[in-house]
């Protein structure tokens, strides 16, 4: 029995199964190459479908025109006169808004209705059905103008030219001439409507201006009349109020200066009068010096008085008495002179008082004049305020009248000029080639799409194919070692090889069709080489504890386990080992048919009488060192028989007599016989059929073995079609020129061994003890 460490665990199996598959371009190419028929069929179907669809489509022609929008249209009246078209404030966003508005206007229902009405498109069946003029007549047809306008708008496209003031207008139609005619009409109507809209606004402005002009003219005349009547009522001449104000200001200045001078004199006279009033008549000589200086009479009288006083004093001083005639005469002269001095002083005081009164009267007169001047100034200001108000009303009305009159004249000129800021740069062209369908482009796209879909279909087919096909898939999906593969059996190759052997040996060709014994019948064939490679792998997998008993099983029926079992048994027998092949498929046995044995004696007979297997001559086959034990009579309870102690004893007996014991098993998933047998052998070889066994089904069989503690050695991929590209490195087994399949020039020995197998197999291991 083999060591448990050689059997993969369930956890490892799950890890291998759940591993992610990396994308490999080479694998993808091989997958597509493998399913080239699906890819090519998809490519042809898609390409032909696109081609026929494209050729069956109606041809659509496109007429195009270019329109230019000018934010700064010509100004024949100069920069000071606004144009009839308002382009906004001139900023980027305002201009962009204007352009977007014009694009919508071009595709507006208003323009479309005008085109429909002018060309009578609502009654044109060819236009409504979008048919060329040479098509079969669709019969009379009529729709509403709105419906025809909607049809026209659906075929109309406006495309602004980036970084420019241009826009391309395109119209699609099945008839090239009609496309050009409709687009030409649409452009003319759009340009005319744009100008009409501008002129309509100008006409409205002119009418409003004329109404305002008449009203302003009436108001101007009324204000002029009011101003004239005010002048008459206030006796105002055509003299500027500023001049009058200046004259009155100068007069008031002179009066004020005179008043100041009079007031100065008044103060002077008042001061003199005050000083003179202080004089004592008894002392007339005590006069103010200023008065004496100003009055020569007072100076003379005062001097005379002083002289008379000196003369009197001199007479008295000379000793003359008061009654002296000279003294008396002198005293009289002093008295007379004093009387004259006092009289003169009184005259001076009276003069000063009179001057003071005169000055006061002058002051009062000047004050009155000043007050009259001030009153006139206030009255002049009042007149000026009302006058300015009337004149300002008249001036403002006159300015408005002049402005409105100027605008009215400019608007009249604009109406006559008819300046438009939109014009057609390129007139609608006559389309020479069809816009749709683009045959070449569509076919190219169809081929590309078909290629991609074909590749996708091939990959999808490969992804949907859940069968095991390559050794890499076997190891990746099942998590078990890959032991080798057996090519698909080809009767023609077998027949040719046997005939060559017969010619070299001088013998008749053996019987054909025994695929299970192809290793014996065709020892130099690719199948024989593959079987010997499997044998070598089994020998070297456990050189210290070789597998003495092997169970060859499969997950399901028809996977070629019996064929693989026979090939492995024959290959081991050819290596010089004594091999016994036991048919434990007690439900549908085939070993007795392959080797021509009687179905009456076999495993079931040996369980009743183990002496049945003692006669090796009865078990011997045409293959040297190979012995066969058929199944025998089919029992009603195969699983119980295989699980019995008698069968275990039989198996131990055979192990002691033969180098290798190889057991053919029934399907593992279908019945429990194989799972029971897997617990009694050193190892189990799982057979899967290429492109037939599914991943999940094979994993189910492995799990059935692991659940009962069976030991799985590896997997053999059976019935491989080496003509496929995914088996590139294994093409050697099927190569007719370079491989061992080619017949040798020398006659082959009668009993071929495993010499052709690379590498050479090791010598037969010794038999294990019971």
């Amino acid at each position: 029995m083999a060591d448990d460490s050689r059997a993969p665990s369930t956890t490892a199996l799950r890890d291998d199964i759940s591993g992610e598959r990396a994308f490999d371009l080479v694998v993808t190419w091989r997958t597509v190459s493998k399913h080239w028929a699906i890819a090519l069929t998809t490519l042809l179907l898609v390409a032909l479908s696109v081609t026929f669809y494209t050729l069956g489509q109606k041809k659509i022609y496109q007429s195009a025109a270019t329109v230019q929008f000018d934010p700064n249209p010509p100004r024949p009246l100069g920069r000071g006169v606004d144009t009839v078209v308002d382009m906004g404030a001139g900023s980027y966003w305002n201009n962009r808004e204007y352009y977007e508005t014009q694009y919508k206007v071009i595709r507006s229902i208003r323009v479309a209705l005008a085109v429909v009405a002018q060309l009578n498109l609502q009654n044109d069946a060819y236009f409504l059905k979008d048919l060329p003029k040479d098509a079969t007549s669709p019969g009379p047809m009529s729709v509403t103008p709105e419906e025809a306008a909607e049809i026209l708008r659906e075929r109309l496209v406006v495309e602004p030219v980036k970084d420019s003031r241009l826009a391309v207008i395109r119209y699609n139609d099945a008839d090239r001439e009609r496309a050009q005619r409709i687009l030409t009409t649409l452009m003319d109507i759009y340009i005319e409507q744009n100008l009409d809209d501008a002129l309509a606004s100008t006409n409205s402005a002119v009418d409003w201006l004329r109404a305002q002009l008449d009203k302003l003219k009436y108001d101007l005349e009324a204000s002029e009349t009011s101003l004239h009547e005010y002048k008459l009522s206030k006796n105002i001449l055509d003299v500027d109020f500023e001049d009058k104000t200046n004259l009155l200001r100068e007069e008031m200045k002179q009066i004020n200066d005179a008043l100041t001078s009079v007031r100065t004199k008044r103060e002077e006279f008042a001061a003199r009068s005050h000083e003179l009033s202080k004089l004592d008549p008894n002392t007339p000589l005590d006069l103010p010096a200023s008065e004496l200086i100003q009055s020569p009479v007072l100076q003379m009288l005062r001097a005379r008085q002083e002289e008379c006083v000196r003369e009197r004093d001199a007479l008295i001083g000379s000793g003359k008495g008061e009654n002296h005639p000279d003294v008396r005469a002198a005293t009289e002269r002093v008295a007379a002179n004093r009387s004259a001095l006092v009289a003169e002083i009184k005259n001076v005081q009276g003069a000063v008082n009179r001057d003071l009164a005169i000055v006061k009267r002058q002051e009062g007169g000047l004050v009155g004049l000043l007050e009259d001047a001030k009153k006139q100034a206030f009255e002049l200001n009042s007149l000026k305020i009302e006058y300015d108000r009337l004149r300002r009303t008249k001036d403002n009305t006159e300015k408005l009248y002049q402005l409105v009159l100027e605008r009215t004249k400019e608007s009249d000129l604009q109406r006559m000029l008819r300046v438009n800021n939109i014009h057609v740069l390129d007139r609608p062209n006559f389309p020479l080639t069809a816009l749709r369908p683009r045959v070449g482009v569509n076919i190219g796209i169809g081929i590309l799409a078909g290629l991609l879909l074909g590749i996708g279909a091939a990959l999808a087919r490969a992804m949907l194919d859940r069968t095991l096909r390559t050794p890499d898939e076997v190891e990746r999906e099942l998590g078990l070692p890959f032991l080798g593969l057996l090519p698909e059996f080809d009767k023609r190759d077998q027949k040719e090889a046997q005939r060559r052997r017969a010619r070299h040996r001088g013998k008749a060709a053996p019987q054909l069709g025994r695929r299970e014994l192809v290793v014996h019948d065709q020892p130099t064939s690719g199948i024989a080489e593959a079987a010997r490679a499997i044998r070598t792998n089994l020998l070297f997998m456990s050189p210290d504890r070789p597998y003495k008993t092997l169970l060859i099983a499969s997950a399901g029926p028809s996977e070629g386990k019996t064929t693989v079992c026979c090939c492995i048994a024959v290959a081991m027998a050819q290596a010089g080992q004594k091999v016994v092949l036991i048919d434990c498929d007690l439900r549908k046995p085939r070993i007795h048919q392959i080797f021509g044995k009687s179905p009456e004696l076999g495993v079931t007979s040996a369980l009743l009488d183990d002496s049945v297997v003692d006669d090796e001559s009865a078990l011997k086959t045409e293959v040297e060192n190979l012995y066969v034990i058929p199944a025998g009579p089919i029992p009603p309870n195969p699983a119980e028989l295989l699980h019995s102690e008698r069968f275990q004893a039989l198996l131990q007996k055979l192990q002691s007599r033969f180098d290798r014991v190889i057991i053919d098993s029934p399907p593992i998933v279908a019945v429990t016989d194989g799972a029971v047998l897997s617990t009694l052998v050193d190892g189990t070889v799982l057979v899967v059929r290429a492109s037939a066994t599914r991943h999940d089904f094979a994993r189910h069989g492995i799990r059935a073995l692991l659940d009962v503690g069976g030991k799985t050695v590896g997997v053999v991929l059976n019935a491989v079609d080496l003509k496929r590209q995914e088996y590139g490195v294994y093409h050697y087994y099927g190569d007719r020129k370079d491989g061992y399949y080619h017949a040798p020039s020398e006659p082959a020995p009668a009993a071929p061994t495993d010499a052709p197998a690379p590498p050479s197999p090791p010598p037969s291991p010794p038999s294990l003890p019971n």
Side-chain angles (χ1 to χ4, degrees):
M1 301 292 288
D3 196 331
D4 293 346
S5 61
R6 293 196 300 258
S9 65
T10 306
T11 304
L13 175 64
R14 291 194 185 101
D15 293 340
D16 292 338
I17 292 174
S18 61
E20 296 183 358
R21 302 181 181 181
F23 177 77
D24 191 343
L25 186 61
V26 176
V27 174
T28 303
W29 169 249
R30 289 178 178 176
T31 302
V32 175
S33 301
K34 174 183 177 181
H35 301 285
W36 64 268
I38 296 176
L40 180 60
T41 302
T42 305
L43 170 62
L44 292 177
L45 286 177
V46 174
L48 291 177
S49 299
V50 172
T51 300
F52 287 123
Y53 174 77
T54 301
L55 295 177
Q57 280 187 319
K58 177 171 50 180
K59 291 185 178 181
I60 300 297
Y61 297 90
Q62 184 180 85
S63 180
T66 305
V67 179
Q68 180 178 354
F69 304 94
D70 191 1
N72 299 310
R75 298 175 182 265
L77 300 180
R79 293 286 175 179
V81 181
D82 295 335
T83 60
V84 296
V85 181
D86 184 13
M87 289 295 295
S91 65
Y92 168 79
W93 294 110
N94 287 333
N95 289 341
R96 181 176 180 181
E97 182 182 50
Y98 173 79
Y99 295 144
E100 292 295 334
T101 301
Q102 293 305 314
Y103 302 153
K104 298 297 186 296
V105 170
I106 294 174
R107 297 191 70 255
S108 65
I109 190 68
R110 172 189 171 190
V111 176
L113 283 174
V115 176
V116 169
Q118 184 169 336
L119 299 179
N120 194 27
L121 296 179
Q122 71 270 22
N123 299 319
D124 189 349
Y126 287 92
F127 166 78
L128 299 175
K129 292 289 188 179
D130 197 14
L131 298 175
K133 62 181 180 180
D134 55 355
T136 305
S137 176
M141 186 176 180
S142 179
V143 297
T144 62
E146 289 75 12
E147 293 176 346
E150 288 297 334
I151 294 175
L152 188 146
R153 293 178 62 198
E154 291 176 357
R155 303 174 189 175
L156 185 66
V157 179
V158 179
E159 297 177 356
V161 180
K162 188 177 181 181
D163 299 331
S164 71
R165 302 172 183 172
L166 305 178
V168 179
I169 304 173
R170 307 180 188 275
Y171 179 76
N172 302 328
D173 201 289
D175 186 79
R176 62 183 75 186
E177 182 179 352
R178 185 170 63 236
Q180 183 186 29
R181 182 175 69 255
I182 291 177
L183 186 57
T184 301
T185 305
L186 184 139
M187 295 305 303
D188 294 340
I189 291 176
Y190 165 66
I191 297 295
E192 188 66 24
Q193 285 188 357
N194 181 74
L195 185 58
D196 291 342
D197 292 342
L199 292 178
S201 61
T202 304
N203 291 334
S204 301
V206 169
D207 295 338
W208 182 84
L209 288 173
R210 288 190 182 279
Q212 295 300 315
L213 186 64
D214 295 338
K215 182 178 181 301
L216 290 173
K217 182 179 180 182
Y218 175 79
D219 293 342
L220 179 60
E221 292 176 352
S223 62
E224 290 176 344
T225 303
S226 299
L227 183 61
H228 178 68
E229 291 177 352
Y230 182 77
K231 286 182 178 182
L232 290 177
S233 63
K234 301 300 181 180
N235 195 20
I236 299 175
L237 300 177
D238 289 335
V239 179
D240 188 65
F241 274 93
E242 190 67 28
D243 295 339
K244 290 184 178 182
T245 303
N246 293 334
L247 291 175
L248 188 58
R249 185 183 297 111
E250 185 65 26
E251 181 181 353
M252 292 174 65
K253 180 180 180 182
Q254 293 176 1
I255 294 173
N256 190 49
D257 293 342
L259 180 61
T260 302
S261 177
V262 169
R263 285 178 177 175
T264 302
K265 289 181 180 181
R266 179 177 59 80
E267 292 296 328
E268 180 182 353
F269 289 144
R272 290 176 63 190
S273 176
H274 180 68
E275 291 294 329
L276 291 174
S277 64
K278 294 180 181 180
L279 291 177
D280 187 2
N282 298 320
T283 58
L285 293 178
D286 295 335
L287 295 175
S290 60
E291 294 297 330
L292 294 177
I293 292 173
Q294 292 181 1
S295 178
V297 177
L298 286 177
Q299 291 178 2
M300 181 188 68
L301 291 176
R302 185 183 181 198
R304 186 180 295 175
Q305 178 71 17
E306 290 177 352
E307 184 178 358
C308 289
V309 172
R310 282 192 304 269
E311 288 179 356
R312 188 192 68 180
D313 292 340
L315 291 176
I316 294 173
S318 65
K320 296 177 179 182
E322 293 181 356
N323 293 324
H324 188 281
D326 290 337
V327 171
R328 295 172 87 179
T331 301
E332 288 177 356
R333 286 195 300 274
V334 169
N337 193 61
R338 179 178 180 179
S339 297
L341 180 60
V342 171
E344 185 61 26
I345 289 174
K346 290 181 178 180
N347 290 335
V348 171
Q349 288 179 341
V352 171
N353 290 332
R354 287 192 298 270
D355 289 340
L356 179 59
I358 292 171
V359 170
K360 286 183 178 180
R361 285 195 298 270
Q362 288 179 351
E363 182 184 4
L366 291 175
V367 169
L369 291 175
L370 185 60
E371 291 297 330
D372 292 339
K374 289 182 178 179
K375 183 178 180 181
Q376 290 180 9
F378 287 133
E379 291 177 354
L380 183 62
N381 288 336
S382 299
L383 292 175
K384 187 175 184 300
I385 291 173
E386 182 65 20
Y387 178 81
D388 289 343
R389 184 182 63 80
L390 294 174
R391 189 181 63 179
R392 186 168 54 251
T393 301
K394 178 255 182 186
D395 292 341
N396 291 337
T397 306
E398 186 176 6
K399 289 180 180 178
L400 288 175
Y401 177 78
Q402 293 295 334
L403 179 61
V404 172
L405 180 61
E406 182 182 359
R407 291 297 183 182
T408 303
K409 297 298 182 182
E410 291 175 357
S411 299
D412 288 336
L413 291 175
Q414 290 170 5
R415 285 194 300 179
M416 291 184 289
L417 287 175
R418 297 176 63 87
V419 177
N420 199 344
N421 71 313
I422 300 175
H423 63 276
V424 179
L425 184 64
D426 295 327
R427 299 293 296 176
N429 65 321
F430 183 78
L432 299 179
T433 58
L435 174 68
R436 299 190 304 267
R438 296 178 294 178
V439 179
V441 175
N442 289 359
I443 292 177
I445 294 176
I447 293 175
L448 179 61
L451 180 61
L452 295 177
L453 290 176
I455 294 175
L459 294 177
R461 174 65 179 84
M463 294 177 65
L464 293 175
D465 185 5
R466 302 299 296 169
T467 59
L468 297 168
R469 298 182 301 275
T470 63
D472 293 337
E473 290 183 359
V474 169
E475 292 186 344
R476 182 177 63 247
E477 298 293 339
L478 303 184
L480 295 175
F482 175 71
L483 299 178
L485 57 80
L486 286 180
E488 191 175 13
F489 183 79
D490 192 340
K491 292 183 177 180
R492 291 177 296 178
D493 294 342
Q494 182 189 25
K495 181 177 181 180
E496 181 179 355
Q498 289 182 352
R499 287 179 177 176
R500 288 176 180 176
R501 289 179 58 195
R503 285 198 303 268
H504 285 288
R505 295 179 182 180
K507 298 179 181 180
Q511 183 181 359
L512 301 178
R514 298 191 303 175
R515 66 183 68 185
E516 294 83 359
L517 298 181
V518 66
V519 178
H520 173 69
D521 295 338
Q522 304 178 45
T524 59
S525 65
I527 297 179
E529 288 295 328
R532 283 190 285 270
I534 295 173
R535 177 197 65 190
T536 303
N537 289 333
L538 288 173
L539 292 177
F540 281 95
M541 283 190 69
S542 182
D544 297 332
R545 300 183 61 185
Y547 301 113
K548 188 173 182 63
T549 57
L550 285 175
L551 177 67
I552 311 300
S554 64
S558 303
E559 295 188 6
K561 59 175 178 56
T562 301
T563 302
V564 174
C565 185
C566 294
C567 291
I568 292 176
V570 172
M572 287 187 173
Q574 289 177 346
Q577 297 183 3
K578 189 176 181 182
V579 181
V580 59
L581 177 59
I582 306 175
D583 188 358
C584 287
D585 188 355
L586 303 182
R587 301 174 187 273
K588 293 182 178 180
R590 289 183 56 242
I591 295 296
H592 66 281
Q593 297 177 358
I594 297 171
F595 291 94
K597 299 295 184 178
S598 172
E600 300 299 328
L601 296 176
V603 174
T604 55
S605 303
L607 292 178
L608 298 176
D609 184 7
D610 57 357
S611 62
V612 174
V613 298
D614 293 340
D615 186 6
E616 292 186 0
S617 60
L619 306 179
K620 190 174 181 60
T621 64
E622 60 181 291
V623 180
E624 187 177 357
N625 297 327
L626 179 61
Y627 301 86
V628 173
I629 301 177
I634 297 176
N637 53 346
E640 288 76 3
L641 292 179
L642 296 177
H643 196 54
S644 63
E645 295 180 358
R646 286 182 171 272
F647 180 78
Q648 295 180 16
L650 174 64
L651 192 59
Q652 292 178 359
K653 181 178 181 179
L654 294 175
Q655 289 178 1
S656 62
R657 293 173 51 192
F658 296 93
D659 298 331
R660 303 287 176 178
V661 178
I662 299 177
I663 303 175
D664 185 13
S665 166
I668 298 174
V669 177
V671 294
T672 60
D673 302 4
V676 172
L677 291 172
S678 66
T679 61
L680 306 177
V681 297
D682 295 336
T684 302
V685 176
L686 185 68
V687 178
V688 295
R689 190 175 187 87
S691 301
T693 304
R694 297 192 308 274
H695 303 166
D696 52 351
F697 193 69
R699 286 196 295 266
H700 186 53
I702 297 174
R703 190 170 291 108
L705 295 177
L706 296 176
D707 289 342
V708 298
K711 298 85 177 176
T712 307
V713 176
V715 183
V716 173
L717 190 61
N718 184 36
V720 175
D721 186 1
L722 296 179
K723 297 178 182 179
R724 297 185 177 182
Q725 295 184 358
E726 58 262 35
Y727 305 105
V729 297
Y730 297 97
H731 287 175
Y732 173 82
Y733 293 135
D735 195 343
R736 298 185 179 186
K737 297 181 180 179
D738 299 329
Y740 285 91
Y741 180 90
H742 186 67
S745 57
E746 299 283 336
T753 63
D754 59 328
S760 301
S764 302
S767 300
L768 295 177
N770 293 332

